[in-house]
Amino acid sequence: AIAAVQTAVESGVTYFDVAPGYGDGRAEKVYGEALEPHRDKIFLATKFWPGTDWNPAKATDDLKASLERLKTKEVDLLQYHGLGIDDAVEATIHEKGMLDWLREQQATGRCRWLGISAEGPSGALERLLITKTFDVGLFAYNLIYQSMCDYQRDPAGILPLAKSLGMGVATMRPATSGFIQKLLKKEFPE
């Protein structure tokens, strides 16, 4: 796995996105080992998911553990891994101080930029984007899943909203989590 990541760097790949939940931290360890010699040449993103009970001290400990596994003092992008952004998530972010915690991580140099990831559009996601706290949105968008451009309250969609706010956008599941590959294998067996 380390050799594959290093080959990607040597081939010109510069954006690497990982999360502590990928392989229970093992993916971050692989990325840390493989990317440490190339840290000044790549853009490194990781995520945090606060679970159902927001605890800033635990989140800080979890982020420090991620940085240790990634063998770096800071990531370029720290993303709130929201997936389903709803009113309860929005309340946690606003009322329990998650936005303040995110800004603190940025101020202390643990991350350069802040991001949010979401699988589908919602009014709560729109309201969070409008806070202008997030520099990047990681959204599910591909040939099959295009709801980020078909938002019921805003015909222009979440992607144009992010653009109008000056946010960067990255896509999750650009290959539809293997769905297209499965269809092709069924249609064109080997």
Side-chain angles (χ1 to χ4, degrees), residues 19-182:
Y22 301 168
D24 197 29
R26 290 186 302 277
E28 286 184 329
K29 286 181 182 178
V30 168
Y31 275 42
E33 186 69 32
L35 297 174
E36 185 179 28
H38 309 285
R39 188 62 187 94
D40 60 331
K41 300 175 197 150
I42 58 107
F43 188 95
L44 183 58
T46 194
K47 302 172 191 75
F48 80 97
W49 183 71
T52 56
D53 186 26
W54 171 242
N55 179 326
K58 182 181 180 320
T60 300
D61 290 345
D62 290 349
L63 177 56
K64 287 178 180 177
S66 283
L67 294 173
E68 188 174 309
R69 287 188 295 270
L70 290 166
K71 296 188 174 193
T72 187
K73 292 181 181 184
E74 75 170 359
V75 290
D76 296 296
L77 177 62
L78 176 61
Q79 300 166 98
Y80 167 69
H81 202 32
L83 299 181
I85 305 292
D86 59 16
D87 293 340
V89 169
E90 183 184 22
T92 298
I93 289 173
H94 285 299
E95 296 165 18
K96 295 186 179 177
M98 192 182 298
L99 284 178
D100 293 335
W101 180 84
L102 282 164
R103 291 179 184 122
E104 179 183 318
Q105 303 320 300
Q106 198 172 30
T108 58
R110 292 189 185 110
C111 64
R112 296 172 65 195
W113 291 285
L114 301 174
I116 187 166
S117 69
E119 287 190 345
S122 69
L125 174 60
E126 180 182 346
R127 291 186 297 275
L128 287 170
L129 295 182
I130 292 172
T131 67
K132 297 186 178 182
T133 296
F134 302 101
D135 303 296
V136 176
L138 176 66
F139 303 128
Y141 184 73
N142 52 53
L143 292 171
I144 295 171
Y145 195 85
Q146 298 184 2
S147 65
M148 289 299 182
C149 286
D150 186 25
Y151 184 55
Q152 69 239 7
R153 293 187 196 141
D154 177 6
I158 291 291
L159 295 177
L161 173 61
K163 181 180 178 183
S164 75
L165 295 170
M167 292 177 65
V169 172
T171 60
M172 70 170 82
R173 300 189 183 98
T176 65
S177 297
F179 180 72
I180 292 174
Q181 181 182 7
K182 290 173 192 169

